[in-house]
Amino acid sequence: GQQVMQIPQYQHVQEGEDFTTYCNSSTTLSNIQWYKQRPGGHPVFLIQLVKSGEVKKQKRLTFQFGEAKKNSSLHITATQTTDVGTYFCAGPKSNYQLIWGAGTKLIIKP
Amino acid sequence: DARVTQTPRHKVTEMGQEVTMRCQPILGHNTVFWYRQTMMQGLELLAYFRNRAPLDDSGMPKDRFSAEMPDATLATLKIQPSEPRDSAVYFCASGWDLEQYFGPGTRLTVT
């Protein structure tokens, strides 16, 4: 069946270092979404990518959608404590349902 | 700023008891989702509705879980009887065209 794999599961960084999470789908996706969940919070929609090869930026966050529309990445430049949380990718499973990656937890080393 | 609301935010109950969780989706959204999140399983889709009609509840244990949407402003998730393995955070989300907005969740503990 359709799968969305996300790596790594965890990433420990020093504050100020960069962070990247990767998302790979077993099937071509019409679009991909990214969500952030702070510790103790709920997933919050960040962005949706639709076009092949699309790159979008939100301040220090850069989102990419692969040319084949089967992979995506989220890169955070110069992490801050406010970036801590779990980042999820999700792609359409049907017209109304998403299939979710397992998430990448960003941990800032003390 | 429209938000999805969920009640209760926390629930502690003994096994065998009935638990009802409620969700008010964002007005105008046509899809409503119920998810369960645990450390071990991540985000699991339990059920979802479109225009109040149930589309898929294959993720729910049918013998004990039920989801309904009696009107456009209320979605409910019931567990009867509850078991310790049901302990988790239950999220409701509403949306339009796949973009989903999550509520704060109900943290359920079954002892």
Side-chain angles (χ1 to χ4, degrees), chain B residues 56-67:
Chain B
D56 188 348
D57 62 0
S58 59
M60 289 200 311
K62 296 291 189 302
D63 55 337
R64 299 185 299 109
F65 284 59
S66 62

Side-chain angles (χ1 to χ4, degrees), chain A residues 10-77:
Chain A
Y10 301 92
Q11 190 165 0
H12 295 76
V13 300
Q14 297 278 4
E15 188 173 2
E17 291 182 339
D18 292 356
F19 161 86
T20 305
T21 173
Y22 300 92
C23 186
N24 293 289
S25 170
S26 58
T27 61
T28 301
L29 300 171
S30 58
N31 64 76
I32 194 157
Q33 300 180 21
W34 286 92
Y35 291 75
K36 175 185 178 181
Q37 184 176 20
R38 294 180 187 271
H42 57 277
V44 174
F45 174 82
L46 292 177
I47 204 163
Q48 177 173 279
L49 305 173
V50 178
K51 297 177 184 176
S52 168
E54 187 170 16
V55 178
K56 286 189 174 180
K57 291 191 175 185
Q58 291 179 350
K59 297 183 181 178
R60 295 176 295 102
L61 278 61
T62 302
F63 303 85
Q64 293 190 348
F65 200 10
E67 294 289 342
K69 301 182 80 173
K70 294 182 73 174
N71 57 75
S72 182
S73 65
L74 159 59
H75 179 82
I76 303 178
T77 304

Side-chain angles (χ1 to χ4, degrees), chain A residues 87-106:
Chain A
Y87 293 84
F88 293 95
C89 63
K93 186 176 181 180
S94 69
N95 284 344
Y96 314 111
Q97 185 181 351
L98 291 174
I99 182 166
W100 293 79
T104 296
K105 193 170 185 179
L106 169 59

Side-chain angles (χ1 to χ4, degrees), chain B:
Chain B
D1 193 18
R3 296 184 183 188
V4 176
T5 58
Q6 288 186 249
T7 56
R9 293 292 309 277
H10 302 271
K11 177 73 175 178
V12 180
T13 191
E14 293 182 348
M15 67 177 294
Q17 297 298 306
E18 178 178 304
V19 175
T20 299
M21 290 169 269
R22 294 177 173 81
C23 167
Q24 182 172 8
I26 293 173
L27 190 64
H29 282 179
N30 66 345
T31 51
V32 174
F33 304 83
W34 282 105
Y35 289 93
R36 176 169 63 183
Q37 188 175 45
T38 62
M39 290 293 292
M40 297 302 294
Q41 298 293 330
L43 264 175
E44 297 175 83
L45 178 65
L46 298 175
Y48 70 104
F49 298 79
R50 182 170 186 264
N51 295 327
R52 295 178 51 206
L55 285 192
D56 188 348
D57 62 0
S58 59
M60 289 200 311
K62 296 291 189 302
D63 55 337
R64 299 185 299 109
F65 284 59
S66 62
E68 295 181 347
M69 200 164 173
D71 62 61
T73 65
L74 177 64
T76 62
L77 180 67
K78 290 187 182 181
I79 309 174
Q80 170 62 23
S82 58
E83 298 180 1
R85 59 180 166 152
D86 300 329
S87 298
V89 179
Y90 291 80
F91 289 107
C92 173
S94 70
W96 184 271
D97 199 24
L98 283 179
E99 185 176 319
Q100 296 183 13
Y101 295 83
F102 283 72
T106 294
R107 182 173 295 276
L108 174 65
T109 302
V110 184
T111 60

